[in-house]
Amino acid sequence: MGVRELMDRLDWGPAPESDELAKALLAERGRDNGMYIDGRWVQPRRGERFDTVNPATGEVLGTIGQADSHEIDLAVAAARHAQPAWEALSGHDRARHLYAIGRAVQRNSRILAVLETMDNGKPIRETRDIDIPLVARHFIHHAGWAQLLDETMPNQKPWGVCGQIIPWNFPLLMLAWKVAPALAAGNTIVIKPAESTSLTALAFAALCHDAGLPRGVLNIVTGDGKTGALIVEHDDIDKIAFTGSTAVGRVIRKATAGSGKGLTLELGGKSPFIVFEDADVESAIEGLVDAIWFNQGQVCCAGSRLLVQESIAEPFYERLRERMAALRVGNPLDKAVDMGAIIDANQLTTIEKLCETGVEEGGTLWQPNIEMPETGNFFPPTLFTDVSPASTVVQEEIFGPVLVSMTFRSPGEAVSLANNTKFGLAGSVWSQDIDTALEVARRIKAGVIWVNCTNRFDANAGFGGYRESGFGREGGHEGMSAYLRPPRTTESELTESKENDANEIDEEGYAVIGVREPTTVLTGIDRTAKMFIGGVQKRPDGGNSLTVMGPSGRIDEVGRGNRKDIRNAVEAAIGRCKWPNMNGHQRAQVLYYIGENLEARRNEFIHRLVKMTGLSDASAETEFDDSVEQWFRWAAWADKYDGRVHETNSRALVIAVNEPIGVVGVIASDSRPLAGFVRLVAPLLAMGNTVVAIPSEAHPLVATDLYQVLETSDLPNGALNIITGLRADLIEPLAAHDAVDAIWVASDDITLAQTMSAGNMKRTWDANPDASDIERLRQSSQVKNIWLPHAI
Ligand code: NAI
Ligand code: MG
């Protein structure tokens, strides 16, 4: 055969990468892998071990130790011991360490890539060209954050000891995403790789050791979910960072509720991949290959839901099937292979079962007639059509090479289909029309949007989800903030003032008197403050009220809200409320106006504060003035909390936009019933959230007096809803409500609120009305990163 003929046929032969060096490394390390604790290699005390296998061949690569509480205690103690000195190093000194780690990864990049492919089954092309280079990039990039920390994020402290739990789909990359920012910020670490893919983490520990990382700063323990749970529950860990399934994320949310531990969760997804009729079809087809067949579809942000505009659907599917038939599935060490093995037999069964369900529910399953390996855990590229928005395969994360597809007619329909999911991790939009692309990018509820591209990642671009895809960001400035916290001094003040709530007269001069069940005989004209729902004053659903007591007896009645009132308020807050669609300038005008109208009722409010709380006139004036100033302050912020444009490894504008979270529940405490309330609701409104607020239980009347201020200030109906009553009645329905996206708790009820929040994985904040403006802005918003690559 001549060269010419060869070129025409474009046949390919196997081009396997050698596994010789990686095998030699494993042999040198010995079959029974230990863990890396306090700078030493430790074998599990109880001697429990399990095999780690190559999913493409079934070959046992070695055994991994199962850590129990003994090893976790050792690792946490080592991390605790090492932390102060690590934090005390200058940013420059920590930068040198991170840089050294990055360089060590680069020097060993090929052996790490081969080892990762052997342990995980993903193609060598991916580990070599994507995973490992990004690992090195993460460490070198975060050396920069360590260096610049004092300048860029002043007055912040590291959390302390971080417990980190990572999945098997990007073993070393997920480690880098967690380890690099934690170390840069001055934390020390106990990290557990996934049980099926621990080998590169252990090789990494050896690199760090040789690079001179101080002992105890990084501890790597191995084991399965039981070991993970021990980390989550350990009393001496300050922050937990988890990437994995939504189910385990939910368990972790509940287990850490009320513990005061920091928590970031990066969970599952079912991300839309939207192709408009004016898209560059060839690019979109290649994009799909990267979206759903990259890493065999075992990617949290996989573009697993294809939405194609009806006008081009048939030719698009045809072209897609052609492309699928050209995918090569096989030995992942082969450099010419597109798709490798599924991680293990369990995951393979999950994928197969979900596909069976898809067919049973009426979907059409299509797979190309391509050569498949005879042994190992392989699954062919798969396309589902004839599915509906409610189909199991459309709603559930399959975590395999299975694409489901539906069609749409208009951009509006595309957006509603895209958002018809409990997840919100990512989305991909394909259109050559800049208006369509950007408008749809803004309207998809997800943390990362790729315009005319997909699955792009970089150390300097935030990554993380909305909704049940979790909270917190990894990468860049946003990711660094997740490993820092405000200094502890303000926190101890906060705890003190909370404790004071229980005293007779608190430090600030409030008589602490609670609401009471109504007394029998009433004198004077009855005034019962109602609820404020959808801009209208509403009687409580249950028809019950509570008596508000002041230092000199009964003052008035307030409605006793119940579950139904909460539901109605949430309904009003989602409904057709105009607030989130108003721009910052318009929101600012309304907030200024509220301040102005509040000022006009100065005497009335001060009188009410005095009568209700027993404050002195002077203290009541101070509180009142603070409340007016807060409305002005947050009016000022409404159009000033800018996003960023990130500098990444791509020729692209990566635009980080601060978006409202959605519907936020606020539970105020009893201290400073007016200012404490305004200090929480005003920032949320400034950022465009809608709010359901439960004011002070003991002194609710200044909040109910606000109704008239709000009614005369052009605040759109439903933007701020106020439900009075007993926290014991109201927190549970509010925190458990699936349409509430976040909850702020300033009272002592954070444990209950965090536990109840696990249902839809809402963000929670142990809210501090005195937190800095920046902290309150951060808590009021979520970041969406929009990737706009460009090249001619
Ligand atoms: P998993 O969530 O069980 O595993 C992730 C990590 O969590 C592993 O290190 C595991 O040992 C640890 N873990 C398990 N139970 C734990 C517990 N109770 N407390 C603390 N740590 C615990 O995920 P798994 O079972 O490997 O995969 C199941 C499904 O999860 C997949 O089919 C996929 O849908 C999803 N998944 C999503 C990932 C993502 O990146 N979003 C990554 C891995 C899995
Ligand atoms: Mg393995």
Side-chain angles (χ1 to χ4, degrees):
M1 193 183 341
V3 173
R4 181 85 196 228
E5 221 178 317
L6 257 175
M7 295 284 283
D8 279 348
R9 290 182 43 181
L10 279 179
D11 269 0
W12 59 285
E17 175 74 37
S18 164
D19 58 5
E20 225 171 273
L21 286 175
K23 283 200 158 150
L25 176 78
L26 289 178
E28 187 191 316
R29 292 179 50 85
R31 190 187 145 80
D32 292 338
N33 291 281
M35 308 171 207
Y36 185 69
I37 298 175
D38 203 14
R40 279 176 290 221
W41 291 97
V42 173
Q43 292 294 343
R45 180 186 58 166
R46 293 227 313 251
E48 206 182 315
R49 325 192 57 87
F50 51 87
D51 289 345
T52 191
V53 292
N54 179 334
T57 62
E59 182 190 358
V60 176
L61 300 171
T63 76
I64 303 292
Q66 169 79 19
D68 73 6
S69 57
H70 175 71
E71 286 79 33
I72 301 302
D73 286 343
L74 283 180
V76 174
R80 175 63 63 203
H81 183 74
Q83 200 274 328
W86 180 247
E87 180 184 347
L89 286 183
S90 70
H92 174 68
D93 285 336
R94 283 201 305 279
R96 282 171 177 258
H97 281 291
L98 283 157
Y99 181 73
I101 296 172
R103 298 293 288 167
V105 170
Q106 283 178 329
R107 283 196 302 277
N108 293 278
S109 58
R110 188 53 61 93
I111 198 168
L112 288 169
V114 173
L115 195 56
E116 193 80 307
T117 286
M118 287 164 64
D119 204 14
N120 166 283
K122 62 167 70 187
I124 184 75
R125 250 189 9 190
E126 293 177 12
T127 53
R128 183 195 62 195
D129 298 345
I130 298 170
D131 293 61
I132 307 303
L134 274 177
V135 170
R137 157 110 179 110
H138 263 266
F139 283 99
I140 291 170
H141 174 76
H142 282 88
W145 284 118
Q147 176 78 47
L148 299 178
L149 208 54
D150 295 342
E151 288 291 328
T152 55
M153 282 170 250
N155 306 320
Q156 299 275 301
K157 295 276 288 175
W159 279 92
V161 175
C162 295
Q164 306 180 321
I165 297 162
I166 54 174
W168 41 260
N169 53 345
F170 294 87
L172 198 57
L173 184 57
M174 289 303 102
L175 176 143
W177 281 23
K178 298 240 176 329
V179 168
L183 292 185
N187 300 280
T188 54
I189 295 172
V190 176
I191 186 170
K192 186 192 86 64
E195 51 271 40
S196 42
T197 53
S198 306
L199 292 177
T200 46
L202 297 172
F204 175 81
L207 293 183
C208 291
H209 187 87
D210 293 344
L213 191 69
R215 54 188 279 201
V217 167
L218 172 70
N219 302 277
I220 299 191
V221 294
T222 51
D224 61 12
K226 293 192 290 294
T227 306
L230 290 171
I231 295 176
V232 169
E233 283 153 20
H234 202 287
D235 282 344
D236 203 27
I237 286 183
D238 302 302
K239 179 206 157 87
I240 298 289
F242 171 78
T243 299
S245 62
T246 300
V248 172
R250 197 164 275 129
V251 170
I252 293 177
R253 165 70 289 175
K254 288 184 185 155
T256 53
S259 65
K261 285 187 178 112
L263 179 63
T264 44
L265 297 173
E266 202 269 274
L267 310 172
K270 191 78 186 181
S271 298
F273 187 105
I274 310 175
V275 184
F276 285 92
E277 60 188 5
D278 59 5
D280 171 347
V281 168
E282 278 311 305
S283 305
I285 295 280
E286 279 319 300
L288 266 177
V289 173
D290 291 337
I292 184 66
W293 294 303
F294 170 55
N295 202 16
Q296 299 72 250
Q298 304 168 124
V299 180
C300 49
C301 52
S304 51
R305 268 191 308 144
L306 170 63
L307 305 173
V308 193
Q309 197 152 17
E310 202 179 76
S311 48
I312 58 160
E314 276 319 311
F316 190 85
Y317 289 150
E318 206 177 295
R319 181 70 196 94
L320 177 59
R321 290 191 194 102
E322 260 173 52
R323 183 65 184 89
M324 288 168 73
L327 289 171
R328 296 156 183 169
V329 182
N331 174 12
L333 277 175
D334 185 334
K335 284 173 271 197
V337 146
D338 298 307
M339 277 172 58
I342 302 297
I343 187 71
D344 58 26
N346 279 343
Q347 187 63 21
L348 188 60
T349 309
T350 308
I351 298 167
E352 286 165 351
K353 286 228 171 91
L354 279 162
C355 286
E356 279 165 28
T357 308
V359 172
E360 279 159 21
E361 290 179 4
T364 304
L365 174 146
W366 187 87
Q367 292 170 332
N369 185 17
I370 54 176
E371 212 178 302
M372 294 289 293
E374 271 152 31
T375 57
N377 307 319
F378 291 89
F379 196 85
T382 302
L383 171 68
F384 263 103
T385 48
D386 305 315
V387 292
S388 72
S391 307
T392 307
V393 286
V394 174
Q395 288 298 329
E396 295 303 315
E397 179 176 49
I398 299 177
F399 228 62
V402 182
L403 179 65
V404 301
S405 180
M406 291 179 290
T407 60
F408 66 87
R409 291 191 178 158
S410 64
E413 196 192 347
V415 169
S416 44
L417 280 172
N419 287 337
N420 182 16
T421 167
K422 59 191 173 190
F423 298 113
L425 193 51
S428 188
V429 184
W430 296 76
S431 166
Q432 290 302 108
D433 180 71
I434 193 165
D435 294 328
T436 308
L438 290 181
E439 180 62 24
V440 171
R442 289 304 300 269
R443 285 168 62 189
I444 297 176
K445 295 203 165 78
V448 186
I449 307 289
W450 293 291
V451 173
N452 293 331
C453 65
T454 191
N455 276 341
R456 298 262 186 123
F457 311 100
D458 186 58
N460 196 34
F463 181 90
Y466 285 17
R467 299 175 162 178
E468 290 186 35
S469 292
F471 42 79
R473 293 289 177 272
E474 301 191 286
H477 186 271
E478 298 130 48
M480 278 303 294
S481 346
Y483 283 96
L484 291 161
R485 52 192 253 154
R488 286 166 203 269
T489 45
T490 51
E491 264 172 21
S492 57
E493 280 165 21
L494 178 71
T495 337
E496 270 167 33
S497 78
K498 272 188 185 165
E499 279 161 7
N500 283 335
D501 283 358
N503 299 337
E504 288 293 323
I505 295 279
D506 76 17
E507 219 167 52
E508 292 156 352
Y510 297 101
V512 179
I513 301 157
V515 286
R516 306 270 184 278
E517 299 290 331
T519 42
T520 41
V521 186
L522 300 179
T523 49
I525 297 174
D526 178 48
R527 254 185 88 187
T528 300
K530 299 183 182 129
M531 312 286 164
F532 193 62
I533 299 176
V536 181
Q537 299 194 31
K538 290 253 170 74
R539 281 180 209 295
D541 167 76
N544 293 318
S545 55
L546 299 161
T547 302
V548 181
M549 306 294 287
S552 31
R554 173 184 180 281
I555 306 179
D556 257 327
E557 308 271 309
V558 284
R560 176 173 178 174
N562 67 12
R563 183 175 296 272
K564 185 80 192 307
D565 295 308
I566 292 285
R567 276 213 299 273
N568 292 340
V570 173
E571 209 49 52
I574 8 177
R576 265 177 288 279
C577 181
K578 282 187 286 187
W579 186 247
N581 294 323
M582 288 166 60
N583 64 39
H585 172 67
Q586 292 165 328
R587 290 197 303 270
Q589 282 180 294
V590 172
L591 300 182
Y592 279 124
Y593 201 21
I594 295 176
E596 182 189 327
N597 285 328
L598 181 60
E599 178 64 34
R601 290 164 178 256
R602 179 180 190 85
N603 293 341
E604 190 188 311
F605 269 87
I606 291 173
H607 178 71
R608 183 70 116 172
L609 272 172
V610 170
K611 188 161 176 220
M612 191 173 58
T613 64
L615 276 182
S616 69
D617 285 359
S619 305
E621 268 184 51
T622 308
E623 176 164 352
F624 179 81
D625 289 340
D626 181 39
S627 308
V628 174
E629 202 231 280
Q630 286 290 318
W631 288 113
F632 270 64
R633 173 174 294 272
W634 294 100
W637 271 120
D639 62 356
K640 291 178 192 62
Y641 189 42
D642 296 338
R644 287 167 175 260
V645 181
H646 292 309
E647 197 60 48
T648 66
N649 57 0
S650 296
R651 184 152 178 82
L653 292 170
V654 180
I655 304 177
V657 189
N658 295 319
E659 294 195 336
I661 303 171
V663 179
V664 182
V666 171
I667 295 144
S669 78
D670 289 334
S671 96
R672 282 179 301 167
L674 182 60
F677 183 80
V678 174
R679 280 172 165 271
L680 298 178
V681 301
L684 284 165
L685 291 172
M687 289 307 294
N689 298 282
T690 57
V691 178
V692 175
I694 302 172
S696 159
E697 177 177 302
H699 318 295
L701 296 173
V702 274
T704 60
D705 289 346
L706 275 179
Y707 300 170
Q708 290 176 6
V709 174
L710 300 173
E711 281 165 349
T712 52
S713 304
D714 300 337
L715 185 70
N717 295 346
L720 174 59
N721 307 276
I722 300 175
I723 304 292
T724 55
L726 301 175
R727 290 196 284 267
D729 294 341
L730 301 175
I731 290 180
E732 197 243 274
L734 186 58
H737 201 301
D738 275 349
V740 175
D741 301 293
I743 192 148
W744 288 15
V745 186
S747 66
D748 285 340
D749 307 279
I750 189 75
T751 308
L752 174 64
Q754 288 183 333
T755 309
M756 299 314 302
S757 303
N760 71 340
M761 226 50 101
K762 55 176 68 68
R763 262 171 76 174
T764 61
W765 185 39
D766 197 347
N768 174 5
D770 297 315
S772 68
D773 288 5
I774 293 296
E775 179 66 11
R776 280 183 284 166
L777 286 164
R778 246 167 40 80
Q779 296 289 351
S780 301
S781 58
Q782 55 191 348
V783 187
K784 174 188 277 180
N785 275 274
I786 304 175
W787 287 66
L788 296 168
H790 47 84
I792 300 177

